[in-house]
Amino acid sequence: MENSLNTNNQPRFFFPILMGLMAFISVAGIQFLDPTNVAWLVGGDPLQHYLGWAFYRNGPWTWPIGLNPLYGMEFSNSIVFTDSIPLFAIPFKAINFLLPSPFQYLGIWVLFCFVLQAYFAFRLIGLFSSNLLVQCLGSIFFLFAPPMIFRLSLHESLMAHFLVLAALYLSLKSTKTKFTHSLAWIILLSIAVLTHFYLAVMVLILWVADLFARFFVARQVSIKATVAETLLMALTVIFVAWQAGYFAIQGASGATRGFGDFRTNLLALFNSRGWSYWLRPLPLRDSVEAATGEGFQYLGGGSLLLLLVTIYVLITRKVKLTQSLKLLWKKHWPLIIALLALAVISLSNRIGFGPWNLTIPLPDLLLNILSLVRASSRLFWPMYYVILLGIIWIIIKSYGNRRTVIILGLAAAFQIVDTSAGWLPIRAKVSVPTSSEFTSKLQNPFWQEAGKHYQNIVVGGGQQNWENFGMLASSNRMATNLAHLARTDSKKEWISFEKVNQELHQGPLNLGSLYIFQDWKSSPDRIHFDPSKDLLARIDGVAFLAPGWKVCNNCPQIPKQFEIAQLAPDLKLNQIVNFTQSGDGRQNYMLGGWGFTENWGTWATDSLAKIVLPMPHGDPSKLIIQANAFLSPGHSSQVVDIAINGVRVADQTILLKAQDNLIEVKLPRGAKTPGEPVYVEFRSIDPISPQAAGIGPDERKLGIGLVSVQFVR
């Protein structure tokens, strides 16, 4: 399959490097390279990637070297699970003393990806054409591949599609230097492991296919050499993965269910999803597929134009495809099987054909295994590029160099212009005015002063506000368990939160920690602190406890207006708490067991649903509950048990009306301390779904429908 590549003419490889640079400038802009520019890191995944690195650079060296103890504290794992690209993070940490602050290498990485994407595309096309113009023009389709550019300002580590191209090149390239070929695979897979897990999976499978081809097809390697390469590869990859931090969490914690949610649709190659000026996007009914970009595999207008030319070529039989396919199968059957296997996994067991979907049941054991690659759509990328390469190969075989250059040139121009519908908005997003300062909601000067005084920022559960406190902690070289990580060790995470809650509710407080409260529901019990020494306050909408702040000589005191007596909202006697879309009941008082909030209120969708309310002043004696009930001709009543603080307070309540049921519940006798949490449990005895009642497709079993509650005397 390989023609003369004219490798002695080394300057020709400066052309793909130049093309990669030009594509980067066109798509991302030159200011994106500024390592001190953090203005575009406005939140979400790119900020997570940066924060992983920011904490890593400030942390101590560890063994393995990829561990990141400042980010997550007791349950911290590694830079692998913040997608911070260990390939760059580790060497940059080694020269941290030379780097400015802030410093982000994501712009440098994206340039790196564009240049190497062009280089390996150039080499791939060079396997069957030594014409410089053909190689350059063909490389444009790989440079402006929508699935790669789509990851810019989203998952920069996943822009390393050059790893897939390099693996395909090694798989297709004829080799006479066995050791060099094996070494290239070991280096490539190690780089993939240090880049992203999904890319490592793809390269690993392609290496296995290539090893099979060398042993079974080409007969180039002996059993001894095959075993030796396998052992060396395994030892190297395991060591690299260990040092990067892949094993910082348990395997069970690393696997998450959800295989099939992020799959490739059978029509994904033709679904522009807004990346074309002329091809309208296909409608999608799967909510996850429609809401996320996973599964985006659009070829682009220019590539589709080449596909039409290819179809014409095949119809007119300018290429004897059957004979070529037989030759390809004979020489590359392990690679073809690997590509098909990756493509099938990417489709998942939830087959999508445009808006139509079909689910094929699989055993739970198999689903658990496959959920290690739950974003399975990414595994389609090798097939994507082989399809693109095959299209270009057929055109080259069908026409002379002159016609091929004209066809590729016109299609390449169309590819750039057509896909700009998608990449120009990304360019605008990352081309905001440069700044070395982050935009944070924490504007009060207290936060920076606290950053100088405390060593840790901790929470007792939840990860809300991770962006703002991650920026605050990293800029002050603090540690925090308020960390946004791709995957965590759930047991270690629970232990960390329990430790914080024990300090808050039983004491003693850690004088080096600033305690942040996500909402009062996450810490409803009374906090163990000394109001004369410790500061409980709410600033910029965030409640916190600052141990020892009031007796600190170097700590500026804050105005009394920011101090609070309790975390719970100040609920008044006779105040009506609404659980409608316009009310604050859902946000402030609901715990588990409820469905989404509607205009009228909220359905209990579990057999046990809970709310928590702060006891108001005024010594209330009972609760007035307004509720709806889901009724039908065959289900004329709804039975509910109600308990307060775990104690059943009344006989079973029977709701006979669909709307406006009023329930009076007497509060337990005893002291009623204002602010103390009052847990109200609703146990629906006989819930029924609209589907079971024969009046709709909704499968949720609906119990009591909560409209409002009110403390009264």
Side-chain angles (χ1 to χ4, degrees):
M1 191 174 180
E2 183 173 13
N3 279 350
S4 172
L5 194 57
N6 195 14
T7 53
N8 292 326
N9 188 10
Q10 295 300 325
R12 70 188 291 126
F13 292 113
F14 286 107
F15 286 95
I17 293 173
L18 181 61
M19 290 173 62
L21 176 60
M22 293 174 64
F24 168 81
I25 294 173
S26 299
V27 173
I30 195 67
Q31 70 182 30
F32 190 71
L33 265 180
D34 184 354
T36 63
N37 178 23
V38 295
W40 62 276
L41 297 168
V42 293
D45 291 313
L47 183 58
Q48 178 202 31
H49 308 158
Y50 169 79
L51 287 177
W53 147 250
F55 281 96
Y56 180 66
R57 71 177 292 191
N58 293 329
W61 281 105
T62 60
W63 190 261
I65 58 178
L67 299 184
N68 200 1
L70 295 186
Y71 199 44
M73 299 177 69
E74 290 87 354
F75 66 87
S76 64
N77 41 51
S78 69
I79 48 173
V80 167
F81 297 106
T82 52
D83 291 338
S84 299
I85 315 173
L87 183 68
F88 272 32
I90 294 171
F92 275 122
K93 181 181 175 73
I95 59 170
N96 182 42
F97 63 96
L98 297 175
L99 305 178
S101 184
F103 177 87
Q104 57 87 9
Y105 48 72
L106 295 177
I108 302 171
W109 167 256
V110 172
L111 173 62
F112 187 73
C113 292
F114 269 102
V115 169
L116 289 181
Q117 180 83 350
Y119 176 78
F120 283 108
F122 188 89
R123 296 296 297 263
L124 273 170
I125 297 170
L127 293 174
F128 44 81
S129 175
S130 58
N131 184 282
L132 180 62
L133 270 177
V134 169
Q135 287 178 267
C136 288
L137 290 172
S139 299
I140 290 175
F141 299 94
F142 294 81
L143 272 173
F144 286 86
M148 181 192 77
I149 301 178
F150 169 77
R151 299 290 167 175
L152 179 59
S153 188
L154 182 64
H155 303 119
E156 289 79 15
S157 58
L158 287 173
M159 288 191 71
H161 288 209
F162 68 86
L163 293 170
V164 176
L165 300 187
L168 291 173
Y169 176 73
L170 288 176
S171 300
L172 297 171
K173 179 181 181 292
S174 299
T175 178
K176 296 180 180 179
T177 53
K178 300 175 184 177
F179 174 76
T180 304
H181 190 79
S182 299
L183 181 61
W185 271 114
I186 292 172
I187 293 173
L188 181 64
L189 187 50
S190 297
I191 292 173
V193 169
L194 291 171
T195 302
H196 199 282
F197 170 73
Y198 281 88
L199 291 166
V201 170
M202 288 178 256
V203 174
L204 174 64
I205 292 175
L206 293 176
W207 164 72
V208 171
D210 181 64
L211 189 61
F212 267 65
R214 284 181 281 143
F215 181 77
F216 289 106
V217 180
R219 307 286 184 181
Q220 291 178 334
V221 292
S222 63
I223 294 178
K224 183 178 178 180
T226 301
V227 172
E229 181 176 335
T230 302
L231 288 175
L232 184 58
M233 178 69 84
L235 291 173
T236 302
V237 169
I238 290 172
F239 177 78
V240 170
W242 170 51
Q243 286 298 310
Y246 277 86
F247 308 135
I249 65 174
Q250 296 179 355
S253 298
T256 56
R257 293 297 297 267
F259 179 73
D261 287 339
F262 309 104
R263 48 82 196 274
T264 294
N265 194 291
L266 286 169
L267 297 181
L269 292 172
F270 313 102
N271 192 354
S272 67
R273 302 188 73 166
W275 278 66
S276 174
Y277 294 108
W278 69 280
L279 188 62
R280 296 182 63 181
L282 299 174
L284 298 172
R285 292 178 185 168
D286 183 277
S287 58
V288 176
E289 184 180 14
T292 68
E294 294 294 348
F296 177 58
Q297 316 285 11
Y298 178 52
L299 279 170
S303 297
L304 290 177
L305 183 62
L306 291 184
L307 179 60
L308 292 176
V309 175
T310 301
I311 293 172
Y312 168 77
V313 166
L314 296 177
I315 291 174
T316 57
R317 297 188 178 274
K318 291 181 179 290
V319 172
K320 296 180 179 179
L321 187 61
T322 304
Q323 182 178 350
S324 299
L325 288 176
K326 288 181 179 179
L327 183 62
L328 281 172
W329 173 257
K330 182 178 180 180
K331 190 175 181 180
H332 297 291
W333 63 262
L335 174 62
I336 294 171
I337 291 175
L339 292 169
L340 290 173
L342 287 169
V344 168
I345 295 173
S346 79
L347 296 175
S348 83
N349 65 316
R350 297 177 60 187
I351 309 300
F353 186 83
W356 297 281
N357 300 282
L358 171 67
T359 299
I360 301 174
L362 293 178
D364 285 344
L365 177 61
L366 183 57
L367 283 175
N368 287 334
I369 295 172
L370 290 172
S371 288
L372 284 169
V373 286
R374 69 181 189 126
S376 63
S377 62
R378 300 167 184 175
L379 302 185
F380 190 79
W381 295 341
M383 180 64 80
Y384 178 96
Y385 286 114
V386 165
I387 291 171
L388 188 55
L389 189 65
I391 290 171
I392 295 173
W393 174 73
I394 291 174
I395 290 173
I396 292 173
K397 288 291 183 182
S398 306
Y399 300 99
N401 283 336
R402 184 176 178 181
R403 288 188 177 182
T404 298
V405 167
I406 293 173
I407 293 170
L408 292 181
L410 291 173
F414 188 41
Q415 179 81 359
I416 295 171
V417 172
D418 185 55
T419 58
S420 69
W423 57 258
L424 279 177
I426 295 178
R427 179 187 171 93
K429 182 180 178 180
V430 300
S431 297
V432 295
T434 60
S435 174
S436 60
E437 299 291 333
F438 284 103
T439 300
S440 173
K441 295 179 180 178
L442 306 177
Q443 294 295 313
N444 192 284
F446 165 80
W447 300 112
Q448 289 303 324
E449 293 295 332
K452 299 173 185 176
H453 181 74
Y454 295 103
Q455 293 80 53
N456 312 310
I457 296 177
V458 296
V459 294
Q463 298 299 341
Q464 295 90 347
N465 254 330
W466 65 268
E467 300 99 329
N468 295 305
F469 284 105
M471 291 185 286
L472 176 65
S474 65
S475 63
N476 287 282
R477 303 194 173 192
M478 306 168 76
T480 182
N481 71 346
L482 186 52
H484 183 51
L485 300 165
R487 301 185 184 188
T488 63
D489 187 321
S490 55
K491 183 177 180 180
K492 289 182 179 179
E493 189 175 28
W494 180 82
I495 291 173
S496 176
F497 291 153
E498 280 297 297
K499 176 176 175 289
V500 172
N501 285 318
Q502 184 175 15
E503 292 171 357
L504 285 170
H505 303 309
Q506 299 177 27
L509 296 173
N510 183 344
L511 296 179
S513 293
L514 177 67
Y515 296 87
I516 305 299
F517 303 102
Q518 305 289 10
D519 59 51
W520 83 282
K521 294 181 295 184
S522 65
S523 236
D525 297 326
R526 289 202 165 274
I527 300 170
H528 178 86
F529 77 106
D530 186 345
S532 65
K533 297 179 180 179
D534 309 319
L535 174 65
L536 182 65
R538 182 176 282 109
I539 295 178
D540 292 329
V542 178
F544 63 88
L545 178 64
W549 188 267
K550 291 184 177 180
V551 293
C552 169
N553 294 328
N554 299 322
C555 301
Q557 300 305 304
I558 69 169
K560 287 286 185 181
Q561 68 196 57
F562 292 121
E563 290 193 48
I564 56 178
Q566 61 183 39
L567 291 176
D570 187 15
L571 195 61
K572 308 290 186 184
L573 190 68
N574 299 318
Q575 179 181 338
I576 297 176
V577 177
N578 286 312
F579 295 90
T580 61
Q581 286 183 343
S582 60
D584 62 356
R586 175 62 176 257
Q587 177 182 351
N588 288 338
Y589 308 108
M590 270 189 168
L591 299 175
W594 303 96
F596 56 85
T597 297
E598 304 177 45
N599 288 330
W600 60 265
T602 309
W603 287 116
T605 53
D606 289 347
S607 59
L608 180 63
K610 301 179 181 179
I611 63 173
V612 59
L613 303 163
M615 183 69 72
H617 290 272
D619 194 27
S621 63
K622 57 186 175 182
L623 273 176
I624 302 295
I625 301 169
Q626 183 181 355
N628 288 357
F630 179 71
L631 305 178
S632 67
H635 192 78
S636 59
S637 64
Q638 186 79 252
V639 182
V640 182
D641 262 347
I642 300 176
I644 293 183
N645 292 338
V647 179
R648 187 181 177 197
V649 294
D651 294 331
Q652 288 184 342
T653 301
I654 301 176
L655 307 180
L656 298 173
K657 296 190 297 183
Q659 297 178 345
D660 299 328
N661 296 280
L662 292 179
I663 308 169
E664 284 193 9
V665 178
K666 291 184 179 180
L667 298 176
R669 294 181 179 179
K672 300 180 179 65
T673 306
E676 95 175 85
V678 178
Y679 292 93
V680 185
E681 300 177 353
F682 301 90
R683 188 178 299 275
S684 300
I685 306 301
D686 55 349
I688 187 173
S689 69
Q691 185 184 68
I695 56 176
D698 193 344
E699 297 179 356
R700 298 176 302 159
K701 288 188 176 182
L702 305 180
I704 187 173
L706 193 58
V707 179
S708 68
V709 298
Q710 178 185 22
F711 281 104
V712 297
R713 278 198 184 135

